[in-house]
Structure formats: C-alpha cells, structure tokens
Amino acid sequence: MRQAVSMVSLLGFRLQALSSALGRPLSCTQTKILGRDRVMLMESLVVGDIAELRPNQGTLSLFTNEAGGILDDLIVTNTSEGHLYVVSNAGCWNKDLVLMQEKVRELQNQGRDVGLEVVHNALLALQGPTAAQVLQAGVADDLRKLPFMTSAVMEVFGVSGCRVTRCGYTGEDGVEISVPAVGAVHLATALLENSEVKLAGLAARDSLRLEAGLCLYGNDIDEHTTPVEGSLSWTLGKRRRAVMDFPGAKIIVPQLKDKVQRRRVGLMCEGAPMRAHSAILNMEGTMIGMVTSGCPSPCLKKNVAMGYVPWEYSRPGTTLLVEVRRKQQMAVVSKMPFVPTHYYILK
C-alpha cells in the first residue's frame, strides 16, 4: 500500500532553478488555443473527441502522424473561459509548438478563426492520498466538486490566477497547478510547510507512473508506435473512429478490428530489476521484444516493466524470459495497472 504522503514536483523547469526563474520565461509546456474554430484545429491534430468535452473538462489525447505514429501525448481541457488549454511534454515542446503553429497558419489562410497563445506559467504537481486535503487549506473552492480530469481557475495560498486540474501522472489522487511564474516560489513554499508534503523528483514519479501502467513518451510510445500497439485505443473518440478524420486514421482504425503485430504489455518478475532495452524472449530463448521501461515496485516489492511483444504473447499470465545482466530470468505478462489507481471520481 502506498504511504499516505503527498508529494510536490515542479514541472516545466528544473527544480534547482526555481528561485532564479522568477520574472523569466520558463521551459513552457502550456498553450491556449483560441477562436471559434479552436476545436476544429485541435481535432485536426489529435485522436480525441474534443467537441464532446464539457466546460472545464479535460482528456488525455495523442498527436499522431499520417503513418499512425504517436508524436506526443497531451492533455486538452475545454475551459469555461472560451479557449482550449493544452499541456504537452516539455521534451517534445519544440515540435509540438511548431505542429500547432503551422496548423494555425493553415486554417487562418482558409479564413478560419483560430489563434495560439503560449502560457508562460510554472506547473506544480501535488500528488498523493492527502493531496486534496493539503490543497483545500489554501483555496476557497470546494475541491470535493472537482473530479478527475476537470479544472478550475482559483486563488491558491494567496496566488491568484492559478488553474488547478485534478490529474497527474502517478495513478494517485492529486492536482497539477498552473501558476504564474512570479508566484511559483511562494506557492511551492506554502505547500511544503505542510508536513504531509515532500519534494519528489523524476525517479519517484517514474516508479509511480510505472506502477500505474502509464506510458512515458520516448520510452513506451513514440512516432513509430500506433495507439493500438501502445494499448491506448481508449484515447480514440467514438465519433472520431467513425469519421476517420484524424492524422493516421486509415492506419489506426483498421487495427482496432485486426490483430496488430505487437502490443505493449506489463511484465512482472522477481530477482534483478528489468530495465529499458532489456531483451524479451520466449521460453525457447528466441528474442521477441524489448523492455521499454522498468524498475522495482516499492509497493509490490517486485520488479515491474512494460515492453512490446508479438500479439500471440500478450495474454496476461503468459510466461516469458527477460535478459537482465546477461542472464535470463522468468517474467510473467501482467495486467496493468500493477497497483490500483486512486483517481477522484464523483459517485
């Protein structure tokens, strides 16, 4: 069982650079898509049904290319302020921005009403079983009314203009807070004054997202991976599947009915930890795939990993071999998430 301690990680810029980042542009991952045709713009780039989002509701989606590959994963929120709020990976920021800017220019040349604005905010992630309790002390809004994948703009510990989104890449309850740069240090300090909150780096977040079976772009999914191969078919909007109007639809949609050649699976083993690039073999010793992410699970006291194997080896319970430190050890294909998630859902 995970400890009842919340953690705060600082996204969009280096932790050690926090104090020096005030008043300066940050390594931004946040964008506003503006105009009457904003939904049309976003749906021309991603696989999700953006039009169906209610005010202040968000969804995880995927930028795809015409070959069906994943260019990045991102969260799109339909705000009540009349724009789409987009958060994408910092490591893919440059190509994501160019992708969106080029589409904006294309649609503007067609007479469409669209625009793009970069949001120069910091992004703080407060995650864990007590995250809502910790944050509630610093906001007037009732966080019980903010379920998973919804957001609201509010004042947080005296910092106005913060967008609080009930989400995070850990499998736990929590929020990501988009905070104006000038208030980032104050807000982080206020959160850390609570003894329930501990600073956490990328290693902690990596083990949490792995236990939750969540992908890391560049490791588990990339431009050569389709959503179906990556076990991310659920990101494809029902309407979008029917009309097939997103990039790569002619490749991706048929894969929903036909067995793809390979599939992302979870793996569990004891012994030495499985790491990225470890070879996956069948029981006859023939290499059939590769581990993409792996680490010891602090909760399960076992080693967990994700990787790609041919369809016929993807059934949970299948026994395989993984080569670790030049030795072969047994691993079992396992359902994900490895550890149950605890997202806050209204009942």
Side-chain angles (χ1 to χ4, degrees):
M1 182 176 180
R2 296 182 176 185
Q3 292 181 340
V5 175
S6 293
M7 69 178 198
V8 61
S9 60
L10 310 174
L11 310 179
F13 54 101
R14 295 181 183 273
L15 177 59
Q16 59 267 32
L18 175 60
S19 60
S20 64
L22 293 179
R24 296 164 52 188
L26 303 175
S27 176
C28 187
T29 62
Q30 304 166 69
T31 313
K32 290 181 181 179
I33 305 297
L34 311 165
R36 291 190 304 272
D37 297 313
R38 59 189 180 275
V39 171
M40 173 190 293
L41 183 148
M42 189 54 56
E43 289 196 347
S44 71
L45 298 173
V46 304
V47 302
D49 192 339
I50 309 304
E52 75 170 1
L53 294 175
R54 299 185 299 273
N56 293 322
Q57 181 186 19
T59 185
L60 178 72
S61 197
L62 306 169
F63 287 126
T64 50
N65 59 28
E66 291 300 334
I70 301 170
L71 297 173
D72 196 11
D73 56 321
L74 66 156
I75 292 178
V76 183
T77 299
N78 177 29
T79 74
S80 59
E81 292 82 41
H83 64 267
L84 299 177
Y85 170 60
V86 178
V87 179
S88 57
N89 286 306
C92 298
W93 170 242
N94 289 335
K95 71 174 184 180
D96 290 350
L97 181 60
V98 170
L99 182 69
M100 291 185 285
Q101 287 175 331
E102 289 180 346
K103 183 58 68 171
V104 166
R105 286 192 290 268
E106 178 187 327
L107 293 181
Q108 286 177 340
N109 289 336
Q110 297 173 8
R112 299 292 183 178
D113 179 22
V114 291
L116 181 150
E117 178 184 324
V118 174
V119 180
H120 292 289
N121 279 9
L123 196 60
L124 278 66
L126 179 68
Q127 302 283 295
T130 61
Q133 175 185 333
V134 169
L135 190 63
Q136 189 64 73
V139 301
D141 298 60
D142 185 355
L143 296 179
R144 292 175 299 181
K145 298 179 181 179
L146 193 71
F148 182 60
M149 293 307 293
T150 63
S151 73
V153 176
M154 62 185 74
E155 181 177 295
V156 184
F157 286 100
V159 181
S160 60
C162 295
R163 177 169 290 280
V164 176
T165 305
R166 197 81 173 245
C167 70
Y169 234 50
T170 63
E172 288 294 329
D173 185 21
V175 296
E176 289 187 352
I177 308 169
S178 176
V179 52
V182 293
V185 169
H186 171 82
L187 179 52
T189 301
L191 291 170
L192 290 167
E193 286 178 353
N194 190 314
S195 61
E196 289 289 319
V197 179
K198 307 296 181 184
L199 278 175
L202 292 179
R205 292 184 71 241
D206 199 45
S207 65
L208 288 164
R209 67 95 187 169
L210 250 176
E211 289 181 334
L214 302 174
C215 296
L216 176 63
Y217 190 83
N219 284 44
D220 310 298
I221 50 175
D222 58 29
E223 61 184 15
H224 303 295
T225 309
T226 71
V228 181
E229 291 173 332
S231 300
L232 295 169
S233 301
W234 59 270
T235 63
L236 306 174
K238 184 177 180 179
R239 173 178 60 86
R240 307 301 306 282
R241 300 183 191 197
V243 297
M244 296 179 62
D245 61 348
F246 55 85
K250 292 182 180 179
I251 303 295
I252 297 168
V253 173
Q255 291 181 345
L256 294 170
K257 296 181 180 179
D258 302 326
K259 293 180 180 179
V260 290
Q261 292 186 345
R262 62 177 191 145
R263 196 72 180 263
R264 177 175 65 94
V265 299
L267 297 167
M268 189 178 298
C269 78
E270 298 180 358
M274 299 171 285
R275 301 294 187 183
H277 309 300
S278 297
I280 304 173
L281 308 95
N282 62 22
M283 294 305 291
E284 287 72 45
T286 301
M287 182 175 172
I288 59 171
M290 191 80 71
V291 171
T292 54
S293 291
C295 72
S297 165
C299 294
L300 300 175
K301 309 304 180 186
K302 294 183 179 180
N303 302 311
V304 296
M306 294 189 289
Y308 284 82
V309 299
W311 178 274
E312 59 267 28
Y313 294 98
S314 64
R315 184 183 298 275
T318 302
T319 303
L320 299 172
L321 298 172
V322 177
E323 190 171 284
V324 181
R325 300 173 187 172
R326 300 183 181 180
K327 296 182 179 180
Q328 295 178 4
Q329 61 186 43
M330 291 180 59
V332 178
V333 175
S334 303
K335 291 183 178 180
M336 294 183 286
F338 299 104
V339 176
T341 56
H342 298 286
Y343 304 125
Y344 178 65
I345 308 294
L346 290 180
K347 297 180 180 179

